[in-house]
Amino acid sequence: KQEVTQIPAALSVPEGENLVLNCSFTDSAIYNLQWFRQDPGKGLTSLLLIQSSQREQTSGRLNASLDKSSGRSTLYIAASQPGDSATYLCAVPPDGGSQGNLIFGKGTKLSVKP
Amino acid sequence: DVKVTQSSRYLVKRTGEKVFLECVQDMDHENMFWYRQDPGLGLRLIYFSYDVKMKEKGDIPEGYSVSREKKERFSLILESASTNQTSMYLCASSFSGRAGNQPQHFGDGTRLSIL
């Protein structure tokens, strides 16, 4: 059964630093991987979706990479800002799933200090 | 922009009550999902639906049911609320696409307390 792990659970960095968030999954036969952001007490906002045939996706200061063979994805945030403070979650479809449901990691809580 | 609207941000109910959580999306998405989110356990899928009147059990369906009479609306029902159903409930939707390669869009969540 697919499992998704995010380490560390929490990360604190000074403003301006570049940083990397990690996501690993146990079954490499995935269709895609999604990164989400969640602000306290709010729902999730989709940041990036990487399809299985892709190795990376970029949106502004965010870059997500995917290495299926090793079961890993990273989310790179350039020049971090206090507004980037949030919990970041990654998610994949379960067991070759094609119906759109997802299995989530427990997230990395990021704090960017001014 | 995709809009997923959950009817209540905060809800307080009593043990044994029948509770309805409503979710509406405005992008003609085929798929809709209900998750609950708890500290230390993350997001867990309760039920999902890939078409009107269709439903599939997720990982933790016990104590819940769902209704999808119209494409844009997906309701989560707590048949007889219990204190262990106190949680943050999140609704999401997506296009079906091929092999599920479509991003999910979430509502703001309903924080439900059962007393």
Side-chain angles (χ1 to χ4, degrees), chain B residues 20-35:
Chain B
F20 294 85
L21 302 183
E22 306 286 348
C23 176
V24 176
Q25 50 91 6
D26 66 356
M27 281 301 292
D28 203 34
H29 285 166
E30 293 85 4
N31 297 335
M32 295 190 76
F33 309 86
W34 276 107
Y35 297 90

Side-chain angles (χ1 to χ4, degrees), chain A residues 35-46:
Chain A
W35 282 95
F36 294 87
R37 168 187 172 135
Q38 186 175 30
D39 293 295
K42 294 291 188 73
L44 280 67
T45 300
S46 180

Side-chain angles (χ1 to χ4, degrees), chain B residues 61-81:
Chain B
E62 297 78 19
Y64 302 94
S65 63
V66 291
S67 172
R68 189 148 181 223
E69 295 296 318
K70 293 185 178 181
K71 191 175 185 180
E72 67 271 19
R73 185 180 296 270
F74 192 35
S75 303
L76 179 69
I77 304 157
L78 285 66
E79 298 292 343
S80 177

Side-chain angles (χ1 to χ4, degrees), chain A residues 23-37:
Chain A
C23 172
S24 61
F25 44 94
T26 54
D27 185 348
S28 61
I30 59 170
Y31 283 109
N32 61 50
L33 183 141
Q34 294 185 41
W35 282 95
F36 294 87
R37 168 187 172 135

